[in-house]
Amino acid sequence: MIANLLPRLKYNHNRYHHFCRRKMSENTQYIPTSTAFQPRYTGPSPENMTPEQTALRQSILESRPRTGLSGPFGPWLAVPSIARPSQELGRTVRYETSLSMRESELVILLTGAKFKSEAEFDIHVGEAMRAGVGLDVIKSIPRGALLSQEGRKDGKDNNAEFSLEKVKKHMLPLLEKENAYEGKGDLLREIPIVLFT
């Protein structure tokens, strides 16, 4: 059983890093937090899925064309009664709110930083940039001492633990600059969203 999982784990690990590099290659210098990220479990293999799992897998792949089964989606397939409502909740929270995609990605990045969810943060950097969030804003998010890179410094005071004060000090001025000079986002909406996340 374990021997059957190892090639899939390596494949998904390589696919994750190819995904990160591809997303970051367009005029960016973002380096994923961990280059050694490996999921513990990626879910059942397609050849061992029930018809219900296969249909659910196809539904997830159609609704997530860029990211596929990354994150919890593969493991959720092991229990369709969990996967179906979880996918529906995620879709509703992400796409059926009054938040723009840019605002939604800011919330996801801030939440990932606060709770040290490094993989979630890294996966959403590309999504945030596609939604118009600048790399300077992303790098300004205080992340504290990360689990995968003890003592990481990149000149932006990111080793400071996540706090509202650090967000105000480092991130808000860059959001204001993006709004004022680059015409991105809606500052009157973004500041409260960022501060209340």
Side-chain angles (χ1 to χ4, degrees):
M1 168 90 180
I2 297 293
N4 293 338
L5 288 176
L6 292 177
R8 285 191 24 243
L9 286 174
K10 184 174 182 178
Y11 169 77
N12 285 332
H13 168 71
N14 291 338
R15 204 174 88 180
Y16 169 78
H17 287 292
H18 173 73
F19 168 79
C20 284
R21 282 191 297 276
R22 185 169 44 89
K23 299 299 181 208
M24 302 311 129
S25 65
E26 304 167 6
N27 301 323
T28 68
Q29 296 142 359
Y30 182 79
I31 298 169
T33 304
S34 173
T35 56
F37 173 77
Q38 289 192 13
R40 292 180 294 249
Y41 174 62
T42 59
S45 64
E47 58 273 4
N48 293 330
M49 288 184 186
T50 66
E52 181 183 15
Q53 289 171 317
T54 301
L56 185 54
R57 179 182 188 274
Q58 188 59 37
S59 171
I60 292 170
L61 291 173
E62 288 171 3
S63 68
R64 298 171 46 89
R66 287 190 300 272
T67 55
L69 296 174
S70 64
F73 294 93
W76 282 349
L77 287 173
V79 185
S81 61
I82 291 174
R84 195 171 310 286
S86 298
Q87 180 195 14
E88 183 65 24
L89 175 64
R91 185 185 58 72
T92 301
V93 169
R94 182 129 187 249
Y95 300 113
E96 296 180 18
T97 69
S98 62
L99 298 179
S100 69
M101 284 307 294
R102 177 182 161 93
E103 294 162 348
S104 178
E105 292 303 327
L106 285 169
V107 169
I108 292 167
L109 289 176
L110 286 164
T111 304
K114 168 67 177 161
F115 292 100
K116 297 188 183 299
S117 179
E118 297 174 24
E120 188 72 12
F121 189 94
D122 286 348
I123 288 168
H124 279 274
V125 166
E127 298 292 316
M129 292 179 70
R130 252 190 307 290
V133 179
L135 186 59
D136 286 345
V137 170
I138 294 167
K139 285 184 171 182
S140 74
I141 297 172
R143 297 178 66 195
L146 301 174
L147 301 174
S148 64
Q149 293 181 338
E150 196 170 308
R152 173 184 171 179
K153 280 201 181 284
D154 62 8
K156 297 283 186 183
D157 196 24
N158 275 2
N159 275 2
E161 284 303 312
F162 187 94
S163 71
L164 181 58
E165 290 307 313
K166 298 285 190 291
V167 169
K168 286 179 184 176
K169 178 180 175 184
H170 299 291
M171 190 177 176
L172 289 186
L174 294 171
L175 278 176
E176 289 171 359
K177 178 184 166 206
E178 277 193 357
N179 279 268
Y181 300 111
E182 299 171 30
K184 296 180 180 177
D186 178 351
L187 196 59
L188 293 177
R189 285 178 52 95
E190 286 180 3
I191 289 179
I193 288 168
V194 166
L195 294 178
F196 287 105
T197 293

